Amino acid sequence: MHADDPSAQKLTDARPTTLSDDAASTDRTIGRHRVPEPARRALLRSTPVRVALATGVTCCLSLVAVATARGNDDDPRTVEPLAEAVADRAAIADERASRSLDRDVAPARILPSPTAKPTPTPTAVRKAPKKPVKPRRPQPVAGLDQAQMDNAKIIVDVGLEMKMPRRALVVALATAMQESNLYNLASDVLPESAEYPNQGSGSDHDSVGLFQQRPSSGWGTVAQLMQPSYAARAFYTALNEIPGWQDMSVTAAAQSVQISAYPDAYAQHEDRATTVAAALTA
């Protein structure tokens, strides 16, 4: 094209007559390797941006792996490596959980039912107190009735408690048989005696009880002598004060204690007294 051509002149005049002083601008206009923009490079160097990019890439790769695995479910070459990998992970997890395979199985914890009532312990169960057993009444012997036999038992029990020999029991029974016929008698002379439990009454002065002992003679009070056990104890005590009573006859021993107006009357009761004593001490 000729230099004098008007079109050529226009193109020449359109170019800038002066170059920019900016070196970066010159490089961008003349070279194939352009310098990256500083702002974009700084953005890529930021840590949050890198994390976000890594997360996105990981998610994409996971989706691709899942899709690939699902597509190859029927392929044995894919199933076997996956099964081996799962088994290896299970073995590793079990090894981390416990280093020893010989562990004691922990006892199962049994939780109580919310509605279950606690079972009472044996110490919480209280037994009802037993009712006192009434003493067995002795079977009457030697022609005695039950009241007489009960009184005879009291006389024998007191003698055994005082460690008296069998002969003393016979003497005491024979004396009570003669004095009151083995009944606990009040006295018509002492109206007070009727206030206590009794089995009849007599009229021999102020004599009361099984042995017809007199309060006025110092045997005890009316209340005391109306108790068969007290009257029997008073008799045995007085008998022990008689020297050599063990060698005496039943009549002599009884008379030594009672000082009766009929000293020979006690002998008639010796056989029955012996039978009763034997029955109550068997």
Side-chain angles (χ1 to χ4, degrees):
M1 183 178 294
H2 196 274
D4 295 331
D5 193 338
S7 59
Q9 293 178 0
K10 291 181 180 180
L11 291 173
T12 303
D13 295 338
R15 294 179 180 178
T17 56
T18 60
L19 296 177
S20 173
D21 295 335
D22 188 359
S25 300
T26 306
D27 293 338
R28 284 196 299 270
T29 57
I30 62 177
R32 295 178 62 186
H33 302 285
R34 298 179 179 180
V35 179
E37 295 180 2
R40 183 176 301 175
R41 179 177 299 176
L43 181 62
L44 292 175
R45 288 180 180 179
S46 175
T47 300
V49 174
R50 291 181 178 181
V51 172
L53 290 175
T55 304
V57 172
T58 302
C59 293
C60 293
L61 293 176
S62 299
L63 292 175
V64 172
V66 170
T68 304
R70 289 183 177 178
N72 296 332
D73 285 345
D74 297 335
D75 189 356
R77 293 174 299 176
T78 305
V79 174
E80 292 180 359
L82 287 176
E84 293 178 358
V86 171
D88 293 339
R89 287 182 177 273
I92 293 173
D94 184 69
E95 183 179 0
R96 290 179 179 176
S98 174
R99 295 182 179 180
S100 175
L101 297 178
D102 299 329
R103 290 180 297 168
D104 294 334
V105 179
R109 184 180 180 184
I110 302 176
L111 298 177
S113 175
T115 58
K117 295 182 179 180
T119 303
T121 59
T123 56
V125 179
R126 295 183 178 179
K127 295 183 179 180
K130 295 182 179 180
K131 295 182 179 180
V133 180
K134 293 183 179 180
R136 185 176 179 181
R137 302 180 72 178
Q139 187 69 29
V141 295
L144 302 180
D145 61 22
Q146 190 64 59
Q148 291 172 309
M149 195 68 181
D150 292 342
N151 289 331
K153 184 177 186 305
I154 294 175
I155 294 173
V156 171
D157 288 347
V158 172
L160 295 176
E161 181 183 342
M162 296 178 66
K163 310 298 183 183
M164 301 298 289
R166 171 73 67 86
R167 187 166 181 79
L169 305 181
V170 174
V171 172
L173 289 172
T175 302
M177 289 177 180
Q178 173 61 33
E179 297 291 348
S180 65
N181 198 20
L182 279 176
Y183 289 116
N184 190 30
L185 300 178
S187 175
D188 296 336
V189 178
L190 294 175
E192 178 190 353
S193 62
E195 299 176 1
Y196 304 102
N198 63 83
Q199 297 164 329
S201 63
S203 57
D204 184 10
H205 303 290
D206 59 345
S207 300
V208 294
L210 290 177
F211 294 90
Q212 291 291 285
Q213 295 155 331
R214 301 178 65 179
S216 60
S217 298
W219 286 94
T221 65
V222 176
Q224 291 173 335
L225 296 175
M226 289 298 295
Q227 300 176 19
S229 59
Y230 177 90
R233 189 176 298 275
F235 179 85
Y236 287 123
T237 302
L239 181 64
N240 270 332
E241 294 176 357
I242 305 299
W245 68 266
Q246 298 88 345
D247 299 328
M248 296 180 181
S249 64
V250 171
T251 298
Q255 177 62 16
S256 299
V257 175
Q258 295 297 106
I259 313 298
S260 172
Y262 307 97
D264 298 328
Y266 303 106
Q268 61 181 327
H269 305 289
E270 182 175 354
D271 292 341
R272 286 206 306 162
T274 303
T275 302
V276 174
L280 292 173
T281 56

